[in-house]
Amino acid sequence: MTRPVRHVIASAAALAALAGCRPAPAGPALSDLALDRAIGYLDSLLARDPGNPIVAAQIAGRLVLRFGRSADLRDLERAEGLAVTAQRLARDTAAATARVAGIRLMRHDFSGALQAAREAVAANPASSDAQGILLEAALAAGDTLAASEAAHRLDRRSAEGRIRYGLWLDARGHGEAALRQLNAACSALDRSGGLADGVAWCWTQHANLVRAQRGAGPARALYRDVLARFPGTRGAAEGLAAIAVAEGDLGGAARLLGPLLSDAHPDLYLRLAEIRRKEGDREEAASLTDRFLRAVTAPDAEPLFGNLLALHYLESADPALRDSALALARRDVARRPTADTWDLLGWVLLARGDWVGALAASDRAVALGPLSPAAGYHRARILEASARPIEAAELLAAARARLDLLPPDLLRDLARRERAPTAAAGEGG
């Protein structure tokens, strides 16, 4: 994934997985040290009573919370195991199974998440947690019918329900309506004295939607407000970094990205590598690229990062790597036939000179929902190659107007176009 503002995956699932942490006191967020100590204490309780579902759920929730701060994938792996343990013995089967689905969704186990979400709904069709996670899992897996049905069964009286409904509206292209839902939900979370990490996450998602709908200026103020209230919020810092890159403030972007680097978000290695390359530090750029490759080619990493690796291979001059990009894109579509995965396949096919196949894949993406900014740029280039210049020009103009929403590979592609405006339309990647 190119981490677009739209089509957030594993979004409110994080709130569901954190259910084991509630009720949470109002006030400052739990410090990292206090969180580690809490996990250690709960581990000691679980060692004395290994089958205790309440303690297992509490640890799972806190591991998800720690993952949101440190982005250590091992925390999610262990959280899933504990959530499954809690599920087997829990009284509320639907809520416990929904927690499992949420963590699987965060790990990009889309089919496993969807299966667990359906089991949660079967256990209790009236469960708001179950219907909410079914909506997210179905969206992520490409089952738009199941997602639509779940969206209309959501209990929108809760903050989590409103968040999920808002993100569903955004996925269907109703950005302003989505903003209203998230604003109300985040305000409710704030007033309730809910978990500080959850409040920070909600306002960051709200800022992301503002950025997509109204531009970088209004979003910048919101990101800064989140960081002032909740220092260290990863999503807010990343949003500010993207704005800084688009405005040419490479130093500012690098300062924001440095503390965020993690194997759980390997695209950030490439973002910082691009900055270092522009600054002339090729050695550091190469080191960051190596860190990216180690993360995305690790065992079992393909479901998480195969799309990122495909985009990276696509820029290689090595025909074998470009072949690998196509194989990765096809497997991504097979795992989850969504607008994002069909778009990726279309972009890879264009780069390989197959504009007919690229257009067919792009058309499939369009049929599945509104395109992300990156996908809009991809489609513009595909339409150029398909001799449809008027439609292409409209999409390219939209992309140029919102550079902060484009990932580094497309900023490079756009720069190449500006340097060589008469280049063959079929060139891609």
Side-chain angles (χ1 to χ4, degrees), residues 225-252:
D225 181 62
V226 171
L227 287 172
R229 294 181 59 198
F230 309 101
T233 302
R234 297 179 61 87
E238 188 177 339
L240 283 177
I243 293 171
V245 168
E247 295 178 346
D249 181 10
L250 300 184

Side-chain angles (χ1 to χ4, degrees), residues 223-428:
Y223 288 135
R224 287 175 173 168
D225 181 62
V226 171
L227 287 172
R229 294 181 59 198
F230 309 101
T233 302
R234 297 179 61 87
E238 188 177 339
L240 283 177
I243 293 171
V245 168
E247 295 178 346
D249 181 10
L250 300 184
R255 286 190 294 274
L256 287 161
L257 289 174
L260 305 180
L261 296 180
S262 161
D263 285 0
H265 300 285
D267 57 314
L268 300 185
Y269 291 136
L270 292 185
R271 287 181 179 268
L272 188 54
E274 179 70 7
I275 291 172
R276 296 307 185 209
R277 195 173 294 112
K278 288 180 177 178
E279 293 175 337
D281 190 346
R282 294 191 173 276
E283 183 176 348
E284 177 65 11
S287 174
L288 287 163
T289 301
D290 287 344
R291 292 174 70 181
F292 165 82
L293 288 170
R294 283 196 297 271
V296 299
T297 59
D300 303 320
E302 185 178 315
L304 282 166
F305 309 128
N307 48 352
L308 296 176
L309 185 59
L311 289 169
H312 183 71
Y313 282 166
L314 199 60
E315 294 191 278
S316 172
D318 185 340
L321 292 181
R322 293 167 74 86
D323 287 344
S324 295
L326 180 58
L328 286 163
R330 290 194 187 284
R331 290 199 293 270
D332 209 20
V333 168
R335 275 190 296 269
R336 54 183 198 102
T338 65
D340 290 331
T341 59
W342 279 110
D343 163 63
L344 173 63
L345 179 58
W347 185 238
V348 173
L349 288 170
L350 177 68
R352 293 170 58 85
D354 180 4
W355 64 266
V356 175
L359 181 60
S362 181
D363 286 345
R364 292 289 295 271
V366 169
L368 288 169
L371 298 180
S372 69
Y377 182 89
H378 292 163
R379 184 162 177 82
R381 300 281 276 110
I382 291 168
L383 290 172
E384 280 186 331
S386 306
R388 292 163 62 176
I390 296 176
E391 296 166 85
E394 293 176 356
L395 289 170
L396 283 172
R400 287 191 181 96
R402 296 303 312 278
L403 296 180
D404 64 299
L405 299 180
L406 296 183
D409 65 304
L410 297 191
L411 293 175
R412 289 192 292 273
D413 188 77
L414 185 57
R416 286 193 293 268
R417 287 177 51 83
E418 300 296 339
R419 290 195 301 267
T422 58
E427 292 179 3

Side-chain angles (χ1 to χ4, degrees), residues 98-116:
R99 184 184 299 114
V100 172
I103 295 172
R104 287 179 178 170
L105 193 55
M106 295 173 73
R107 298 188 68 197
H108 287 203
D109 176 6
F110 301 113
S111 60
L114 185 56
Q115 178 182 347

Side-chain angles (χ1 to χ4, degrees), residues 155-156 158-166 180-182 184-185:
D155 179 2
R156 283 176 254 161
S158 69
E160 290 90 341
R162 297 195 78 161
I163 290 169
R164 283 175 160 134
Y165 192 69
R180 290 192 292 273
Q181 291 289 332
L182 255 72

Side-chain angles (χ1 to χ4, degrees), residues 194-213:
L195 192 68
D197 295 72
V199 176
W201 174 87
C202 188
W203 283 120
T204 300
Q205 295 306 314
H206 177 265
N208 287 342
L209 290 180
V210 167
R211 181 173 148 213
Q213 294 297 312

Side-chain angles (χ1 to χ4, degrees), residues 116-246:
R118 285 175 170 153
E119 290 173 1
V121 169
N124 182 4
S127 167
S128 179
D129 283 341
Q131 292 292 351
I133 198 59
L134 178 59
L135 165 60
E136 291 194 74
L139 265 181
D143 189 339
T144 54
L145 178 59
S148 178
E149 292 173 350
H152 289 93
R153 290 195 295 263
L154 281 177
D155 179 2
R156 283 176 254 161
R157 292 171 296 182
S158 69
E160 290 90 341
R162 297 195 78 161
I163 290 169
R164 283 175 160 134
Y165 192 69
L167 295 174
W168 159 252
L169 288 172
D170 183 58
R172 307 314 300 165
H174 305 297
E176 288 296 329
L179 266 175
R180 290 192 292 273
Q181 291 289 332
L182 255 72
N183 185 68
C186 297
S187 297
L189 282 176
D190 243 345
R191 290 192 301 270
S192 71
L195 192 68
D197 295 72
V199 176
W201 174 87
C202 188
W203 283 120
T204 300
Q205 295 306 314
H206 177 265
N208 287 342
L209 290 180
V210 167
R211 181 173 148 213
Q213 294 297 312
R214 302 175 185 175
R220 180 191 288 106
L222 294 173
Y223 288 135
R224 287 175 173 168
D225 181 62
V226 171
L227 287 172
R229 294 181 59 198
F230 309 101
T233 302
R234 297 179 61 87
E238 188 177 339
L240 283 177
I243 293 171
V245 168

Side-chain angles (χ1 to χ4, degrees), residues 78-91:
R78 184 168 180 238
E80 181 181 349
L82 289 165
V84 170
T85 296
Q87 174 194 16
R88 296 191 188 111
L89 299 170
R91 289 184 179 180

